[in-house]
Amino acid sequence: MNKVILVDENDTPVGVAEKLEAHQRGVLHRAFSVFVFNSKGQILLQKRASTKYHSGGLWSNTCCSHPEPGENTEAAAHRRLMEEMGFDCTLTKAGTLLYKVAFPNGLTEHEFDHLFIGHYDGTPTLNSEEAEAWEWVGPDALKAAIAANPERYTYWFKISLPSALAKL
């Protein structure tokens, strides 16, 4: 089972926990979200695999996950981008976000989320255990789609998108 890094509100490590246990208990842990844009200014979205333990089947940013204990957060972002989407690219830190949200299945995301932006013009090769679809979407069309159907998008994506777009 994967472990996550438990942190305080300043992102200082305070321990480790099994990933599922951290989400069951709703304890604050380190995470990251990657937003990849192409040369047209479109963002690469992934539709999370329906089999995911929460937020399955929802559209989200290009890649998101948790660094493993002892792993550098940016290195983890590169690793997961390759594992989920089948490519890697240069990443730039775009800030952090602290949030907490409870899901209908009893799990809670309580994350200190590191935001990264990348640029890529190729075609992803999805890991079907992580994502079931992808698409490039322009920022204005994306904002309109989220406003019209917010239930189709992950919570963290909706609250982190403005920060990512502001860093472009």
Side-chain angles (χ1 to χ4, degrees), residues 35-114:
F35 296 79
V36 174
F37 294 86
N38 64 16
S39 58
K40 297 177 186 174
Q42 298 170 312
I43 183 172
L44 178 59
L45 302 184
Q46 72 155 264
K47 186 174 186 182
R48 289 169 58 87
S50 296
T51 55
K52 299 290 272 187
Y53 65 99
H54 72 74
S55 305
L58 298 182
W59 287 96
S60 197
N61 50 291
T62 312
C63 167
C64 52
S65 191
H66 310 88
E68 296 173 355
E71 184 178 29
N72 172 277
T73 304
E74 184 174 340
H78 285 285
R79 175 180 56 80
R80 289 300 294 171
L81 187 57
M82 182 60 85
E83 290 172 1
E84 292 186 21
M85 303 299 283
F87 71 89
D88 193 14
C89 62
T90 300
L91 298 175
T92 303
K93 186 80 180 269
T96 60
L97 176 69
L98 181 66
Y99 73 92
K100 185 175 186 177
V101 61
F103 296 107
N105 65 359
L107 299 179
T108 299
E109 281 276 31
H110 190 190
E111 296 189 335
F112 193 105
D113 196 13
H114 294 255

